[in-house]
Amino acid sequence: MPASAPAVVTPPPAFAARIRTTAPSAVREILAVTAQPGMISFAGGLPAPELFDTEGLRAAYDAAFARSAGRALQYSTTEGAPELRAAVADRISRRGLATTGDELLITTGSQQGLGLITTALIEPGDTVLVENPTYLAALQGFRLAGARVVPVPCDDEGILPDALAELVARERPKLLYTIPTFQNPTGRTLPADRRAEIAAIAARLGLWLLEDDPYGDLRYEGLELPRLAAYPGAEDRTALLGSFSKVMAPGLRLGWLRAPAALLRGAVLAKQAADLHTSTVDQLAAAEYLRTADLDAHVAVVRDAYRIRRDALLSGLADALPLGSSWNHPEGGMFVWARLPESHDATALFHAATSRGVAFVPGAPFFAHDPDPRTLRLSFTTHTPQEIQEGLTRLSG
């Protein structure tokens, strides 16, 4: 028979303060609401599943196993499969930033790359600068690391360089985190002259730059802009994150990190402690896909579909949102950023909207400080134009 329980029971020690004080992701909690049957969701930044190249990816997995099932199912190096690193380096180079495979680390989604850089650079109490608003999971990750997160003043085009220079001189941060191209949540794109100024500020005042670029391939209009590391002064201090989630499939959980050698070594050490390496079979299938399929042609199809969906959303917002609302016109990416008129609250509108079978994300959680309760983010990629129109009809009430 089991022994009787002791008369005195002492609870186990408390969770770490970082867990007790970090709020859950508002977007992830909203996605649980939007999973209800019949819900039309402008909430999550989800690629359209009907646009996945399922046949091409299936063939790539078959080929990876046919080449060497033993290798595909075995442990691998932390840095990643050499053929995938070479293929990614070629794609980065073709977009104007000369890169070799040795400058890359394959990650389990670009989200992991953000965490690895945070682990390599940030200690409790260090200051991190972010755009305001910014990617919610980045705020969560920096706070989990014990960083002091300080927002940089922005306008409709992104970071204001003069304000950034003043903050760097005063706050002495370690890192600026930025999504300069089709930013999440705002969809805005930082102009070339500001990118050059930010690179110069980082070089002059001593600052690491972390550029997150998950959406750069999804341009619907306008000219492509160089990445930050391509500008003078940023070469030795910029980490660049990329992902296959938006152009292949998010379920692959494949991303990459490009960084200067010393910082890359730090990220490799952090990854060794985190998960040893990213899934071998997924890496080899992705490398096979890049070798045999035309990813650029596939991305062109995706871009055409998303452009139509973006336009469908934009064309219906005037009737769907309260009179006096405003919104931007993103040149690419997945999101439109809107602002309700005075006396309106996006969270109240969210609750009313979900009761009618449509959802979006209130903007307040994306702000590091001083949230604007009138803002909201709408994603246009997941639904067809007809579904978008129905969602806007429901939103209008």
Side-chain angles (χ1 to χ4, degrees):
M1 295 182 61
S4 59
V8 176
V9 177
T10 302
F15 293 150
R18 69 178 72 90
I19 294 296
R20 289 185 276 116
T21 59
T22 299
S25 167
V27 174
R28 290 285 144 186
E29 303 219 324
I30 285 172
L31 289 180
V33 175
T34 63
Q36 300 172 16
M39 182 73 68
I40 294 177
S41 177
F42 302 126
L46 305 179
E50 71 274 14
L51 297 177
F52 295 154
D53 183 8
T54 53
E55 292 303 316
L57 287 169
R58 181 181 293 114
Y61 274 90
D62 288 344
F65 273 96
R67 281 178 177 273
S68 176
R71 183 184 174 208
L73 298 174
Q74 187 56 276
Y75 286 113
S76 185
T77 60
T78 299
E79 291 81 359
E83 56 265 60
L84 181 56
R85 294 163 71 199
V88 172
D90 179 66
R91 289 186 63 79
I92 299 172
S93 297
R94 284 191 279 117
R95 280 188 57 186
L97 182 60
T99 301
T100 67
D102 289 341
E103 295 174 280
L104 296 174
L105 169 64
I106 302 300
T107 59
T108 305
S110 63
Q111 179 76 31
Q112 185 187 54
L114 196 159
L116 297 178
I117 292 297
T118 301
T119 299
L121 289 180
I122 304 303
E123 297 178 296
D126 284 343
T127 298
V128 173
L129 302 183
V130 299
E131 296 155 330
N132 208 34
T134 192
Y135 178 42
L136 182 58
L139 290 176
Q140 191 178 42
F142 293 139
R143 287 167 176 158
L144 199 62
R148 176 172 169 265
V149 181
V150 176
V152 181
C154 299
D155 62 12
D156 290 342
E157 293 187 316
I159 290 172
L160 296 168
D162 288 346
L164 172 65
E166 180 182 333
L167 269 178
V168 174
R170 184 176 75 240
E171 304 290 345
R172 306 310 302 171
K174 270 194 175 176
L175 175 72
L176 167 67
Y177 171 74
T178 175
I179 314 169
T181 306
F182 317 137
Q183 199 243 16
N184 182 2
T186 65
R188 65 194 176 201
T189 295
L190 191 69
D193 58 341
R194 295 196 191 185
R195 296 178 188 228
E197 287 185 74
I198 289 171
I201 290 167
R204 184 174 74 251
L205 298 180
L207 182 67
W208 286 105
L209 301 175
L210 178 54
E211 177 180 4
D212 203 350
D213 186 33
Y215 312 106
D217 286 317
L218 301 178
R219 176 173 286 281
Y220 316 130
E221 60 188 69
L223 299 176
E224 188 170 298
L225 298 175
R227 270 110 171 212
L228 284 178
Y231 288 90
E235 306 94 330
D236 66 343
R237 63 194 61 236
T238 303
L240 173 64
L241 301 176
S243 174
F244 287 115
S245 292
K246 309 303 187 291
V247 295
M248 253 189 226
L252 297 174
R253 305 310 304 132
L254 285 175
W256 48 263
L257 163 64
R258 179 192 187 275
L263 181 55
L264 193 69
R265 284 194 296 273
V268 168
L269 288 174
K271 185 168 173 63
Q272 287 173 353
D275 67 355
L276 298 183
H277 65 84
T278 295
S279 164
T280 310
V281 63
D282 293 321
Q283 290 190 66
L284 296 183
E288 189 69 28
Y289 186 86
L290 292 172
R291 188 182 71 84
T292 59
D294 189 343
L295 179 58
D296 290 334
H298 173 67
V299 170
V301 171
V302 172
R303 280 199 302 258
D304 288 343
Y306 288 174
R307 181 187 299 110
I308 294 169
R309 297 176 186 204
R310 177 203 62 177
D311 294 346
L313 179 66
L314 291 173
S315 67
L317 283 177
D319 293 328
L321 294 178
L323 184 66
S325 298
S326 60
W327 52 89
N328 62 350
H329 182 104
E331 293 183 336
M334 305 178 91
F335 307 112
V336 169
W337 185 245
R339 191 164 188 256
L340 303 177
E342 292 284 352
S343 77
H344 285 72
D345 181 87
T347 299
L349 179 61
F350 167 79
H351 291 303
T354 54
S355 70
R356 298 192 293 268
V358 63
F360 57 83
V361 180
F366 296 98
F367 289 83
H369 295 290
D370 302 321
D372 185 343
R374 294 158 54 193
T375 56
L376 57 146
R377 189 193 78 176
L378 302 111
S379 174
F380 50 81
T381 55
T382 309
H383 293 289
T384 65
Q386 294 75 23
E387 291 168 335
I388 288 171
Q389 182 55 58
E390 171 60 25
L392 291 172
T393 300
R394 296 180 189 181
L395 185 59
S396 67

